[in-house]
Amino acid sequence: MQRPFPLPQEDFSLKETAPRLGGGGLGGGDKLTNTYDLVEQMQYLYVRVVKAKDLPAKDVTGSCDPYVEVKLGNYKGTTRHFEKKTNPEWNQVFAFSKDRIQASVVEVVVKDKDFVKDDFMGMVLFDLNEIPKRVPPDSPLAPQWYRLEDRKGEKVKGELMLAVWMGTQADEAFPDAWHSDAATVPGDGLANIRSKVYLSPKLWYVRVNVIEAQDLLLNAKPGFPEVFVKATIGNQTLRTRISPSRCPNPMWNEDLMFVVAEPFEEHLILSVEERIGPNKDEVLGKAVIHLQKVERRLDCRVINSRWYHLEKHVAADGEQKKEVKFASRIHLRLCLDGGYHVLDESTHYSSDLRPTAKQLWKPSIGILELGILTAQGLLPMKTKDGRGTTDAYCVAKYGQKWVRTRTIIDSFSPKWNEQYTWEVYDPCTVITVGMFDNCHLQGGDKANGAKDNRIGKVRIRLSTLETDKVYTHSYPLLVLHTTGVKKMGEVHLAVRFSCSSLLNMLHTYSRPLLPKMHYLHPLTVTQLDYLRHQSTQIVSTRLGRAEPPLRKEVVEYMLDVGYHMWSMRRSKANFFRIINVLSGLIATGRWFGQICLWKNPITTVLIHVLYIILVLYPELILPTMFLYLFLIGVWYYRWRPRKPPHMDTRLSHADTAHPDELDEEFDTFTTFPTSRPPEIVRMRYDRLRSVAGRVQTVVGDLATQGERFQSLLSWRDPRATALFLIFCLAAAIVLYVTPFQVVALLTGFYVLRHPRFRHRLPSVPLNFFRRLPARTDSML
């Protein structure tokens, strides 16, 4: 059952724009446009308040409690105050947007803080027409000493060191400055609205190979001993199976995998335990291993094993537990695997595919530049003083680098005009840009557990962008709710992907998508799911400890946590993706049926002639096929995509989903009429969702493979299509001049070659195919 009135598709379309990027630089120069040319120029008046000296005493104690007030029209910013100090140092910067300036004079007033009324100590006035302009990379303007004046313009005691200049958002002082549009935010909340750059922690896989234990002091109970090893790092706990050897020297030879982040804060704790009853285990000994001492490996070489002594905890009478060493020990092979890429994102939207070890990194192939310009039509996200309001900021994630724009207070059409840059190591990666409503303007823990609301998200795959071209589009911000898909507004972005070496970039299409270790010693699907979950938890925890924190709900939304959970809507969308892929074969069958039925006699005659030629000269079959593919690809060049991919509600079946399906998708605690306890129902329901999520992923992967075949000729990845067409042309020429029998013989020998001539790594054609884009980028 579909909605009776679905939202019109044009509301969700991508819109091309033509903003005035760069702005030409201040004072007619072009220095700004060279480094800050993907955003519209915004001019600000900057006032840096450095320090004061020789301030007059205002208190009976012979001292003062000074602070500085910077006033420009209706906007007023104040520094912190110092108690009983006549020579204070503030070193704070105030920024006033030129678009909102409604005065011709900026007043810098020094006041003495008092319980009743703050006393005036002196002021410095600046005429806006006389303020100098500064364009980076010019050196910062040197502050100067200014003599304080009273309200009549006469000199008074005390001096103030200031620097006042006109600049843009490219100024070094911009990120940490107090902004006039944040005048309503208290001082302890200013840190939560500033733009910041974050780095994800460096993640490692820890491989714990539990080999055996010796001389365990087992309990004297009837039957065979049931001994296992429990390994713990932080909140990650894994267990081996019960040892099949029923003796005091059990053996396991089992691998346990963990995720850890540098700097290593937790220890590896191994405990050998014996099951002495139902749900009752007794610890036979423990070993604590510092991760800093664990060997690191970059390849699949065998790590030397080592014996570790087990320590037994004994409780003395009336005393705390003390450790007593005894003869038991455990045999382990430990290493930090730096040859893997630790997955913390969905593989469909990964922004980084490099291994952990920096020694294995390839040189960068280019630069990604992102300009976050503006947003339009945002909806009210919360209520303040009886009216709806939105305090929006953006977060962009690519590789290990996260960026957060400043928060624009109380605006449904915020303007950021901030530009950021990333190094690119692989073009087949995705940058994610999300928008959120800031619910932590009061600073500290005053939000009472409030979470930053998600407004929407945009994903852009780099391989779909032409190099050195600036893409300026307005992207719809779409969020799925229980009531259906909802457009929360639009975000205006400017994107440019610059390539430093075209040859190196084309060479990446022949390399494996993931590091070698993923193919030489692959991890299981269950392991990858568990490790990815742990990775996202570690990243969100570490970024949540930054100042200001990048909060857990923001990180999880950007990393698509929970994407693999069961959803009837996504399952239907993946099914229809497969149908769309197969529609090409169905159309070919219908066309052939029309040929057989002589619907078009001329075409049928030409097909007969072609068929006779290919039967008489079979060596022409393969070159004709490749030449045909080449001509189709050239023909499709006229209809190549001109816009980056964006969220497609029709592809995602978001605008036609039944409300009950959406309720099931968003409801994690659905129960059924049953006599079983709720805990059992919930367990079965979660298990069903887990299994269905796997099926959903497999169906989606099948659709992805088919869409990659389609993208060979669709010019969605212009470089990949160009490489494929060059290959088709070269193959057509070679096969025209090479006897068919020779080609068939060599092909057969190659397919049937001995295993010693086979490589364990994927072949170049398979690597190329896996890098082709699919339509997963456009799914909600």
Side-chain angles (χ1 to χ4, degrees):
M1 179 178 178
Q2 297 184 352
R3 292 179 188 279
F5 301 106
L7 292 174
Q9 187 68 23
E10 56 268 15
D11 285 351
F12 305 140
S13 62
L14 190 68
K15 301 173 184 176
E16 191 166 1
T17 59
R20 188 170 177 264
L21 301 181
L26 281 169
D30 60 354
K31 298 178 183 177
L32 176 66
T33 59
N34 292 334
T35 57
Y36 225 66
D37 58 342
L38 289 187
V39 293
E40 297 184 20
Q41 191 181 113
M42 300 174 68
Q43 296 190 14
Y44 288 87
L45 168 67
Y46 290 96
V47 179
R48 181 186 295 276
V49 181
V50 184
K51 56 185 176 179
K53 67 178 180 179
D54 300 332
L55 295 178
K58 291 292 183 179
D59 298 340
V60 294
T61 59
S63 183
C64 59
D65 304 329
Y67 70 93
V68 176
E69 182 180 276
V70 182
K71 188 176 181 182
L72 182 60
N74 296 326
Y75 296 103
K76 180 175 65 176
T78 58
T79 67
R80 61 190 181 278
H81 80 280
F82 291 95
E83 294 185 1
K84 296 180 175 54
K85 198 168 186 180
T86 57
N87 299 309
E89 293 188 17
W90 295 282
N91 199 26
Q92 291 181 242
V93 181
F94 299 85
F96 299 87
S97 175
K98 188 177 180 181
D99 295 338
R100 300 185 180 183
I101 293 178
Q102 299 176 349
S104 59
V105 176
V106 57
E107 303 176 11
V108 184
V109 184
V110 182
K111 292 186 177 182
D112 176 45
K113 195 167 188 63
D114 203 349
F115 288 106
V116 181
K117 183 179 181 181
D118 297 344
D119 297 325
F120 174 85
M121 302 177 68
M123 65 189 302
V124 181
L125 302 179
F126 295 91
D127 189 339
L128 294 185
N129 295 323
E130 302 298 327
I131 293 177
K133 296 178 181 179
R134 175 183 176 255
V135 180
D138 289 349
S139 298
L141 191 66
Q144 302 179 33
W145 285 106
Y146 293 88
R147 185 75 177 271
L148 296 179
E149 302 175 353
D150 60 15
R151 299 191 186 278
K152 298 179 180 180
E154 297 179 0
K155 301 297 182 181
V156 297
K157 183 181 179 182
E159 292 183 75
L160 188 62
M161 181 179 278
L162 298 170
V164 183
W165 72 95
M166 294 295 297
T168 67
Q169 73 270 36
D171 202 289
E172 293 89 344
F174 179 81
D176 295 324
W178 173 94
H179 288 271
S180 54
D181 57 359
T184 59
V185 179
D188 55 352
L190 288 177
N192 287 322
I193 68 172
R194 291 187 173 130
S195 57
K196 290 293 178 183
V197 175
Y198 304 83
L199 290 177
S200 292
K202 188 176 183 180
L203 301 176
W204 291 81
Y205 282 149
V206 180
R207 187 185 296 272
V208 182
N209 180 230
V210 183
I211 303 174
E212 59 180 330
Q214 283 188 353
D215 302 327
L216 298 179
L217 300 179
L218 301 174
N219 292 282
K221 71 180 185 69
F224 294 108
E226 299 180 357
V227 183
F228 62 92
V229 177
K230 183 171 71 174
T232 302
I233 300 180
N235 61 350
Q236 306 174 61
T237 300
L238 294 175
R239 299 186 180 193
T240 67
R241 67 187 187 280
I242 294 176
S243 173
S245 56
R246 312 292 190 175
C247 64
N249 301 322
M251 300 186 65
W252 295 277
N253 197 22
E254 188 172 343
D255 271 353
L256 305 177
M257 295 288 290
F258 297 89
V259 180
V260 293
E262 286 188 312
F264 303 129
E265 298 178 348
E266 296 93 6
H267 302 313
L268 171 61
I269 302 175
L270 290 164
S271 65
V272 181
E273 302 184 9
E274 181 184 5
R275 182 154 297 164
I276 58 177
N279 300 322
K280 187 177 181 181
D281 304 322
E282 181 173 328
V283 177
L284 302 178
K286 282 189 176 183
V288 178
I289 302 171
H290 299 274
L291 294 177
Q292 291 89 343
K293 301 178 181 178
V294 175
E295 185 177 354
R296 306 183 182 194
R297 72 171 182 177
L298 310 181
D299 48 24
C300 54
R301 63 185 177 88
V302 178
I303 299 294
N304 294 328
S305 60
R306 180 181 168 187
W307 288 95
Y308 292 87
H309 287 287
L310 294 174
E311 299 173 348
K312 180 129 177 124
H313 291 264
V314 179
D317 294 336
E319 298 179 2
Q320 293 183 349
K321 293 184 178 180
K322 60 180 181 179
E323 296 178 355
V324 178
K325 291 187 177 181
F326 66 115
S328 297
R329 57 181 186 165
I330 187 170
H331 194 193
L332 303 174
R333 185 177 284 114
L334 301 178
C335 69
L336 289 164
D337 267 331
Y340 290 93
H341 169 67
V342 181
L343 296 169
D344 60 345
E345 306 168 285
S346 171
T347 52
H348 296 299
Y349 319 122
S350 184
S351 64
D352 189 8
L353 301 168
R354 295 171 294 171
T356 298
K358 201 169 184 178
Q359 302 92 310
L360 301 178
W361 291 4
K362 303 291 184 183
S364 64
I365 61 168
I367 296 293
L368 171 65
E369 297 167 279
L370 172 69
I372 303 176
L373 306 178
T374 62
Q376 299 89 27
L378 299 184
L379 301 180
M381 300 300 296
K382 57 179 177 285
T383 303
K384 183 178 180 181
D385 298 330
R387 63 182 184 86
T389 181
T390 297
D391 306 312
Y393 68 92
C394 290
V395 175
K397 199 267 184 193
Y398 183 78
Q400 293 183 325
K401 180 178 175 182
W402 300 64
V403 299
R404 169 178 173 166
T405 67
R406 69 191 191 281
T407 299
I408 305 300
I409 306 299
D410 192 17
S411 175
F412 299 132
S413 300
K415 293 183 179 180
W416 294 282
N417 285 305
E418 299 182 26
Q419 184 170 337
Y420 300 95
T421 304
W422 289 267
E423 280 190 306
V424 176
Y425 294 86
D426 195 315
C428 303
T429 46
V430 176
I431 181 173
T432 304
V433 183
M435 188 183 297
F436 303 88
D437 173 54
N438 197 332
C439 296
H440 296 81
L441 301 181
Q442 304 303 317
D445 297 325
K446 299 178 181 179
N448 295 325
K451 295 183 178 181
D452 289 353
N453 300 315
R454 58 184 68 173
I455 299 178
K457 182 166 55 180
V458 173
R459 290 188 290 256
I460 302 174
R461 183 173 291 271
L462 272 58
S463 64
T464 61
L465 305 177
E466 297 181 17
T467 54
D468 299 316
K469 177 180 177 180
V470 178
Y471 289 83
T472 55
H473 293 87
S474 186
Y475 293 82
L477 296 169
L478 306 177
V479 174
L480 197 64
H481 297 283
T482 54
T483 56
V485 66
K486 192 172 185 180
K487 182 179 178 182
M488 310 298 290
E490 297 179 355
V491 61
H492 193 187
L493 303 177
V495 185
R496 178 171 57 208
F497 173 38
S498 304
C499 173
S500 57
S501 172
L502 180 61
L503 189 61
N504 287 342
M505 183 171 63
L506 296 180
H507 178 61
T508 60
Y509 282 88
S510 67
R511 296 206 305 259
L513 190 65
L514 293 170
K516 292 181 180 180
M517 285 291 288
H518 287 271
Y519 305 100
L520 300 178
H521 287 279
L523 304 176
T524 64
V525 175
T526 304
Q527 275 183 312
L528 288 174
D529 286 346
Y530 172 78
L531 295 173
R532 178 176 180 264
H533 173 72
Q534 297 299 333
S535 301
T536 56
Q537 296 301 311
I538 292 174
V539 171
S540 62
T541 301
R542 289 288 179 95
L543 294 179
R545 288 159 49 185
E547 185 57 42
L550 200 59
R551 304 188 182 277
K552 182 178 181 181
E553 62 270 18
V554 174
V555 176
E556 290 185 348
Y557 182 59
M558 296 291 289
L559 295 180
D560 286 296
V561 173
Y563 175 80
H564 295 291
M565 290 301 292
W566 163 256
S567 166
M568 180 67 74
R569 175 190 59 83
R570 276 198 294 263
S571 297
K572 289 199 305 183
N574 287 333
F575 174 76
F576 284 107
R577 285 171 60 202
I578 293 180
I579 296 300
N580 185 54
V581 170
L582 297 178
S583 63
L585 296 176
I586 297 173
T588 302
R590 291 176 179 174
W591 172 79
F592 186 74
Q594 292 177 351
I595 295 297
C596 296
L597 295 176
W598 290 75
K599 295 288 186 180
N600 189 331
I602 297 177
T603 305
T604 302
V605 170
L606 291 176
I607 292 298
H608 277 75
V609 172
L610 178 62
Y611 177 73
I612 293 172
I613 294 175
L614 294 179
V615 169
L616 296 179
Y617 303 96
E619 63 272 13
L620 298 180
I621 294 177
L622 288 178
T624 302
M625 181 181 68
F626 281 110
L627 184 62
Y628 181 63
L629 291 175
F630 172 77
L631 294 176
I632 292 178
V634 173
W635 179 257
Y636 280 173
Y637 181 77
R638 299 171 54 191
W639 297 284
R640 67 190 185 279
R642 304 300 177 95
K643 298 178 180 179
H646 68 289
M647 301 299 184
D648 193 334
T649 56
R650 181 174 297 174
L651 176 68
S652 308
H653 282 248
D655 52 348
T656 59
H658 191 273
D660 184 62
E661 296 176 1
L662 296 176
D663 181 70
E664 180 186 13
E665 182 173 344
F666 283 91
D667 185 11
T668 58
F669 301 105
T670 301
T671 56
F672 302 95
T674 178
S675 59
R676 297 293 185 184
E679 293 80 10
I680 301 298
V681 174
R682 185 175 300 171
M683 180 271 295
R684 292 177 177 175
Y685 182 59
D686 289 342
R687 181 175 58 191
L688 174 63
R689 294 183 65 174
S690 176
V691 174
R694 297 285 177 85
V695 175
Q696 165 187 303
T697 302
V698 171
V699 173
D701 288 341
L702 291 175
T704 297
Q705 308 311 318
E707 289 169 352
R708 284 174 177 163
F709 272 111
Q710 289 182 328
S711 63
L712 282 172
L713 302 175
S714 67
W715 291 93
R716 187 153 182 246
D717 183 343
R719 287 165 291 275
T721 301
L723 285 174
F724 182 69
L725 296 185
I726 293 173
F727 167 77
C728 290
L729 181 61
I733 295 174
V734 170
L735 293 173
Y736 268 120
V737 300
T738 305
F740 177 78
Q741 291 83 353
V742 174
V743 174
L745 192 62
L746 293 177
T747 302
F749 283 160
Y750 178 77
V751 173
L752 300 173
R753 68 191 184 280
H754 193 271
R756 72 173 57 184
F757 300 112
R758 299 177 186 270
H759 293 286
R760 297 181 65 183
L761 293 179
S763 62
V764 171
L766 187 58
N767 293 331
F768 177 85
F769 177 76
R770 286 175 174 173
R771 291 177 171 275
L772 293 172
R775 300 195 68 192
T776 51
D777 308 334
S778 303
M779 288 190 65
L780 283 172

